[in-house]
Amino acid sequence: MYPIFWFPFLLFPVITNAAQSQKPFANLADEWNIETQPNPNSTGHLVFDTVSSLLQHWPNTRYHSGHAIVPGTIPTGTLLYHGRQNPHTPTVHEWVSTDPEFARIFCGEHGPCWMLTLVTTRPLRVLYFDGSSAAKWSDGRMDTQDLLAWGAVLPERATIPWEYPRLERLCDVGATQAIDAYVRMQFNFEVMLCSFTDGVQTASLSRLEDEEIEPHHMHSYFHSSTWHDSYPGETRIHLDLTHLISLYDVALAPSLIAGRVGQDRREHRVLGIDKRDTDTVVQRVRELPFSPSASGIDWSTQFQVIRDRYAKRLEVLQSTLTATDEEDSAQRAFHQLQMLLMPYRLRSTVPPPAGWNTDWAAPVYRVCAQTHTSFIESMKTTLTASEQLLLTSAQETTREICRTVVGCWAEGMLELRDSATISGSLTLKWKSEVDRLMGWLGWSLWVTCRPACEFPESCYLPVVPFSKEGWNGSVPRCVRLFEPYFLGGY
Ligand SMILES: *[C@@H]1O[C@H](CO)[C@@H](O)[C@H](O)[C@H]1NC(C)=O
């Protein structure tokens, strides 16, 4: 029989060592005070959410103004598609897509359609701009590209005529770094190739049937976006998170902090960045190393593990607390808090016989907040600047989740110490705490169609050019992606 009862004892030395490596605090209850809220200017949760949303259509439609510039590669043997109205292969920089549905609409409204299919003959080195970065809209989607291309955000250049000059500039800037292409998203992912001969070759050049784009090809393109809605997203792009650049990095772009005060997250943008920060960002791109850091940490999975552990549970807790008219919902919510904290509820941590403060719960808060990151914290000095940013973002995010959940649980423990049931006023307080936490985290997987869409409808965030009205992409709705199409009333 496997001695599972040993595990709690094995856990302790790890936690103790991690705590010792941190800067000393007067006592545990000060450092792990459940009343201490995060600094409103901190961006760890924003970095955490954007990084765990990279290359996914759904969250990058909702938060359309990207803040990340991430190096990556497209593996050898990957097909890329280019639709056009004549059989001429481009000789300079041009656009391709990862799915042919996107390329097809570039054949134009009517007339002949030629589909050029390329295949990568070596790994292509790319830079990815997150958000809805391919949408030519002056509201922030193109800010990070502008920064790199022109050294300034120029909203008036968010137009089709500026696309070729912008790409030309990007290719010039990236040349010293041997960047082959830039990746952007609008419904689907596009790859802006600096060369149509270096690193790619023609797989086929086919004349396709002459057809109108509306309605079938257009809806086929919308439909293809849903394939990359959620994690892991567009897997043909392999990102190097160890050299990620984020404009939410307060050390990299301090000039953006003041502008975000009081703003809704969907209003955040890079417009307003000062010259000094712009130069630092461009310099970081110019110094991008050619291979990932040797830390061996799988950041994408680390982040996803944290997301998986809390996303569904918080959603269920929130809906349990909303249904407060149900008789045993307070008890059920308390059980959910217990299960959320299962690995961290130490047998030794119990409420004192009297009193209402929650200081006694500090050890549970600490274990909860540090478990996922304490080892990585111990190797901090060997990490790249990007990895240190990722570490801090995971720490700040888990810390606030744990602070909120442990706070609710500890209050429940105190009430149950003195009475048999949990009061309605406590569950109301829990509800507002959980709502606040989920709003702060801002995870897009909580924004979905309720009730769930029924086949053949699919849940969609309507945005330009799909929707005729309600283009802002904040309220999802069920939309038919197959015939008969319905475009009215959005
Ligand atoms: C947040 O940032 C603003 C603008 O830089 C600053 O005035 C304010 O003091 C900061 N708040 C905190 C709590 O650090």
Side-chain angles (χ1 to χ4, degrees), residues 191-407:
V191 178
M192 311 192 291
L193 284 177
C194 293
S195 164
F196 262 59
T197 49
D198 189 3
V200 293
Q201 70 182 38
T202 299
S204 63
L205 176 60
S206 312
R207 170 112 195 230
L208 304 182
E209 284 185 62
D210 299 348
E211 283 163 355
E212 305 268 320
I213 288 177
E214 292 280 9
H216 301 293
H217 288 298
M218 209 58 185
H219 280 79
S220 189
Y221 160 52
F222 299 149
H223 173 203
S224 67
S225 73
T226 64
W227 306 341
H228 314 297
D229 260 344
S230 48
Y231 188 82
E234 173 49 89
T235 56
R236 282 164 285 194
I237 320 291
H238 296 193
L239 297 180
D240 170 13
L241 298 183
T242 70
H243 295 109
L244 160 134
I245 296 164
S246 173
L247 276 299
Y248 277 130
D249 182 346
V250 290
L252 182 70
S255 60
L256 291 175
I257 299 172
R260 285 190 295 256
V261 173
Q263 259 188 346
D264 182 83
R265 183 172 157 196
R266 282 169 47 81
E267 297 166 346
H268 291 177
R269 53 183 302 181
V270 177
L271 184 70
I273 190 170
D274 71 12
K275 181 80 177 71
R276 199 190 62 122
D277 293 354
T278 302
D279 292 346
T280 317
V281 171
V282 173
Q283 195 55 29
R284 276 278 286 272
V285 172
R286 289 189 187 279
E287 289 168 359
L288 279 174
F290 282 78
S291 52
S293 111
S295 72
I297 299 165
D298 179 349
W299 288 101
S300 171
T301 300
Q302 289 281 344
F303 278 33
Q304 197 57 31
V305 165
I306 294 169
R307 252 246 239 250
D308 285 347
R309 178 115 228 296
Y310 294 109
K312 203 75 193 172
R313 285 181 187 277
L314 287 174
E315 193 176 24
V316 171
L317 178 61
Q318 186 183 47
S319 74
T320 303
L321 291 167
T322 304
T324 44
D325 51 328
E326 285 172 37
E327 204 180 315
D328 57 350
S329 74
Q331 195 59 38
R332 232 179 316 146
F334 184 68
H335 288 150
Q336 285 164 13
L337 291 168
Q338 286 182 308
M339 294 306 107
L340 262 158
L341 297 173
M342 178 274 289
Y344 320 121
R345 282 186 293 123
L346 310 173
R347 190 163 186 265
S348 54
T349 304
V350 291
W356 282 101
N357 86 37
T358 49
D359 287 355
W360 58 273
V364 177
Y365 178 17
R366 182 181 65 173
V367 179
C368 176
Q370 288 187 335
T371 296
H372 286 278
T373 52
S374 58
F375 177 73
I376 299 175
E377 166 77 29
S378 74
M379 57 193 286
K380 191 167 179 172
T381 53
T382 65
L383 300 177
T384 64
S386 304
E387 288 181 294
Q388 294 191 17
L389 176 74
L390 298 176
L391 169 63
T392 306
S393 79
Q395 285 172 324
E396 287 181 6
T397 302
T398 48
R399 185 177 176 117
E400 183 57 7
I401 294 171
C402 294
R403 189 181 77 82
T404 307
V405 176
V406 173

Side-chain angles (χ1 to χ4, degrees), residues 392-438:
T392 306
S393 79
Q395 285 172 324
E396 287 181 6
T397 302
T398 48
R399 185 177 176 117
E400 183 57 7
I401 294 171
C402 294
R403 189 181 77 82
T404 307
V405 176
V406 173
C408 295
W409 167 79
E411 290 164 346
M413 290 288 281
L414 289 173
E415 280 207 357
L416 291 174
R417 177 194 63 192
D418 299 342
S419 79
T421 55
I422 287 164
S423 65
S425 58
L426 185 56
T427 51
L428 273 180
K429 186 173 177 226
W430 286 353
K431 167 84 167 61
S432 81
E433 281 294 291
V434 171
D435 288 348
R436 181 196 50 75
L437 173 67
M438 291 172 72

